[in-house]
Structure formats: C-alpha cells, structure tokens
Amino acid sequence: MTNEKRKYIMPVTTILSILFVTILAKVGIINNYLQTIIVTICINVIMSASLNVVNGYMGEFSCGHGGFMATGAYVSSVVSLILFKDGNSITGHALLPEGLAILGFPIAILIGGLGAMLVSLIVAIPSFKTRDDYLAIITVAANFIVTTAINNIPLVGASRGLMGMKGVMNNMADVLDVPWILIWGLVFAVLSVVAIHYLMNSTLGKGISAVRYDEISAEIMSVNTNNMKLIAFTFSSFLAGIAGGLFAHLLGFINPSSFGIMKSTESLVMVFLGGMGSLSGSVLSAFVFTILLELLRPAQIWKWVIIPLILILIMELHPEGIMGSKELPQKFPWLKKLFPLNKNQIRPGSEGDAA
C-alpha cells in the first residue's frame, strides 16, 4: 500500500465508525445510558488531551482546567438558549427559529470555546511572567474565581444553576431524529485530537516542546517562549471550553459546583494516568478513567478515596503512565505500516524504541 493511500485510512475509518455508532444508537442497540457513557468519554478525551498540551508537551503545570470548562459550558449554554429555546430563563423567548439549532449548535459550542480562550488569555498574560510552579497556583485561583463569579450572577441561575439545554437538543431532534449529542460529541473529540496532533507536529509544536526540555536554551535559539506558552495555554483552554459546552448540553443542567477543583483534579488524573506528552495516552486514559468512575458509582464519595489510591500506585509502580511519552505506533510497531510516524513525533530519548 502506497503512502498516498495510507493517509486516507484514518479519516475514512473514523467517519465510518461515527456513522456505525450513530446507526446503532438510532436503532436502539446503543441505549441512552450507553450514549451518555460514550459522550462522557468524548468529553474526557478532550479534557485530558487539551490539558496534556500544557502539562505534558509544554512541561508547565496547570491545575485549573475546570474553570475554563465552566466558562465554555455557561457561554455556550447562554448562546444556545437565547438563540434557539423559547421560554428560556434569560430572555424568555428565542431570537431565532428553534429549528435552526441544528445549524447553530456547533457554532454555540465554538463560541463557548472562544469564551474560555478569552478567560485563559487574562490568566496567561500575568502568569507566564513568573517561573516554576506559580502557574499551578494561579490556575487554581482562576478556577475558584470563575466558579465564584458564576455563583453570583443571577442571570445564569447563580448557585441554583442553569437548565434548558435539553430543550435545544430536542429542537434539533424535531428537525432530524438522530442522537445529536452523541454525533457532536464524537465529532468534536475527533477534531480536538486531530488539531492537537497537527499542532504538536508543526513548527509551533516544536517551539512548545522546546519549552519543556530547556526553556533557556530555547530562548537562546530564538524561540519566543512567552508566545509558545500563550499559544499552548489558550489553545488548551479553548478545547476545555468546547468540552464544557458538550457537558452542559449532555446533562441539560449545570451549576458552578460541577466545575470546582474536583473537576480539574479529574483532568490531572487522566493526564498522569495516560502519560505526560502522549496524545494516545490521553485518549486511552479518558476511556479507562470514565469506565472506572462508572464502575465506582455505587461507592459514592468513597470513589474519591479509591481513585487517588490508584493514582498513587500508578505513580509508584509505573510513573510514566500507560503510554509514557510515546504514541501507539511506537508501542506497537505493526501500526506503523498503517499509520507511519513523522520524524517530529519521535521525541528525544525514544528513537531506539521507535526504530
């Protein structure tokens, strides 16, 4: 098989997989419960992979991803409710015909991502003038600031929360009866992973990785490290905002407590579980972590005793996580025949493993 043909394998397989899952959901083989699990996995893939851009590839330490998720959730929810939901709690009536939600929904999700990017820009400009672990402290503070601010805005329900997003999804189903949240969850998860892949294998990605390995040397080699940090951080937050928008429309109800420090901790756990600087690891860890949370649901609050213990064991016994800093073709060489690695994907110290 020629390289020209190989490059179409992944896109075609992905599209066919999404169509197959949609058909199974439409005929009832994948019920509503399983659909919720699948969309939750997609959301966690976006959260884990996006945080890995900062904590893994760039080597900084952000601990407030839940705050950017909250921004995206509320901004996208407000936009979709105002535009496409009659009887909403903000304006009382829809500004556009409800049927147009089928076209406007992805735009609302992207606007939520842009809102999260704007908040991250406000956080990033002062924080990247500091060094070491100050970013962790600043992002935790930002998480609390965002959730506290939302908690005191009556227009979006304050502490009572915001609801009605299920109505927007129902309006879409009235036009074409398919599981829209499942479709968009899969689509945005795939697009997020592809976007991160291309970013990290671009010239910008080399600059971001240079910050991780040696920031001073990168500056000597004329890499603008502040710009690299800004790009990685705002891009990561943009994707977190998209995940928040999907989360809000999946549940149909959100409140500030849903995006506290525990939500940020979940993202950190997935990054460490999958491997710092491994996109494949982020995807795998999101799947494992979501299933683990679901299995531990009967344990209620005790699950947050069990999960940190599992994380401690991983850090003690296998600190690199599931994938370390490698990708699947490096772990399983036979995959390189279908999906050959670019030279940019092979990180320092892994050449021998990838050979």
Side-chain angles (χ1 to χ4, degrees):
M1 185 182 295
T2 63
N3 287 335
E4 186 69 24
K5 291 182 179 179
R6 285 182 189 175
K7 70 180 183 180
Y8 294 110
I9 293 176
M10 181 63 82
V12 171
T13 303
T14 302
I15 293 169
L16 291 176
S17 298
I18 293 174
L19 289 173
F20 182 66
V21 171
T22 303
I23 292 169
L24 291 181
K26 176 63 178 173
V27 300
I29 296 176
I30 298 179
N31 58 29
N32 289 337
Y33 171 73
L34 291 177
Q35 289 180 43
T36 301
I37 297 298
I38 293 171
V39 178
T40 303
I41 291 173
C42 293
I43 292 168
N44 284 340
V45 164
I46 299 172
M47 288 295 287
S48 176
S50 63
L51 185 59
N52 213 349
V53 172
V54 176
N55 288 23
Y57 290 106
M58 192 171 70
E60 296 290 331
F61 198 63
S62 172
C63 298
H65 224 43
F68 305 121
M69 187 182 187
T71 305
Y74 272 88
V75 170
S76 62
S77 296
V78 168
V79 170
S80 64
L81 288 174
I82 289 176
L83 295 180
F84 309 116
K85 180 67 173 70
D86 272 328
N88 68 76
S89 59
I90 302 170
T91 59
H93 62 277
L95 299 183
L96 297 174
E98 292 183 328
L100 288 180
I102 200 168
L103 300 175
F105 175 76
I107 298 173
I109 297 294
L110 291 173
I111 291 173
L114 291 174
M117 179 185 282
L118 179 61
V119 171
S120 73
L121 188 63
I122 297 170
V123 173
I125 290 174
S127 65
F128 286 139
K129 294 179 181 178
T130 62
R131 296 276 181 174
D132 301 323
D133 297 328
Y134 289 103
L135 179 62
I137 299 169
I138 292 170
T139 50
V140 168
N143 198 158
F144 280 106
I145 289 170
V146 168
T147 53
T148 302
I150 295 171
N151 211 36
N152 289 278
I153 301 177
L155 189 65
V156 294
S159 60
R160 298 188 309 277
L162 182 65
M163 64 178 63
M165 289 75 79
K166 279 286 186 184
V168 177
M169 305 310 299
N170 292 335
N171 292 339
M172 295 167 64
D174 289 340
V175 177
L176 181 60
D177 189 16
V178 294
W180 283 108
I181 190 62
L182 175 65
I183 294 170
W184 283 115
L186 290 167
V187 168
F188 275 114
V190 169
L191 291 178
S192 298
V193 170
V194 170
I196 293 171
H197 169 79
Y198 278 105
L199 171 66
M200 297 315 303
N201 288 288
S202 68
T203 303
L204 282 175
K206 291 179 182 179
I208 291 169
S209 295
V211 174
R212 173 186 179 182
Y213 293 116
D214 194 325
E215 185 173 346
I216 295 174
S217 297
E219 289 177 348
I220 293 172
M221 296 299 293
S222 73
V223 175
N224 190 326
T225 55
N226 280 336
N227 279 356
M228 294 301 104
K229 290 179 179 181
L230 196 64
I231 290 168
F233 191 69
T234 52
F235 178 69
S236 171
S237 302
F238 170 74
L239 295 180
I242 286 176
L246 293 171
F247 179 79
H249 288 83
L250 171 66
L251 298 184
F253 169 79
I254 49 173
N255 64 15
S257 63
S258 303
F259 306 99
I261 196 65
M262 196 62 76
K263 181 60 73 175
S264 296
T265 303
E266 289 182 14
S267 302
L268 283 170
V269 169
M270 287 187 284
V271 170
F272 284 112
L273 177 62
M276 302 284 277
S278 172
L279 186 55
S280 305
S282 293
V283 175
L284 291 173
S285 67
F287 179 83
V288 171
F289 184 75
T290 306
I291 299 300
L292 183 61
L293 277 184
E294 198 60 30
L295 292 175
L296 292 174
R297 186 181 293 275
Q300 297 179 0
I301 194 66
W302 282 99
K303 70 182 180 183
W304 287 112
V305 176
I306 298 169
I307 289 172
L309 283 175
I310 294 173
L311 180 62
I312 291 170
L313 289 174
I314 291 170
M315 298 305 293
E316 286 290 332
L317 302 176
H318 195 63
E320 300 87 3
I322 296 173
M323 297 294 295
S325 60
K326 298 181 177 67
E327 302 297 343
L328 281 174
Q330 292 170 268
K331 286 280 189 179
F332 305 101
W334 60 271
L335 285 174
K336 286 189 283 187
K337 296 178 180 178
L338 296 177
F339 314 115
L341 280 170
N342 295 326
K343 291 182 179 179
N344 293 342
Q345 288 176 272
I346 302 175
R347 292 176 180 70
S350 64
E351 290 87 344
D353 296 321

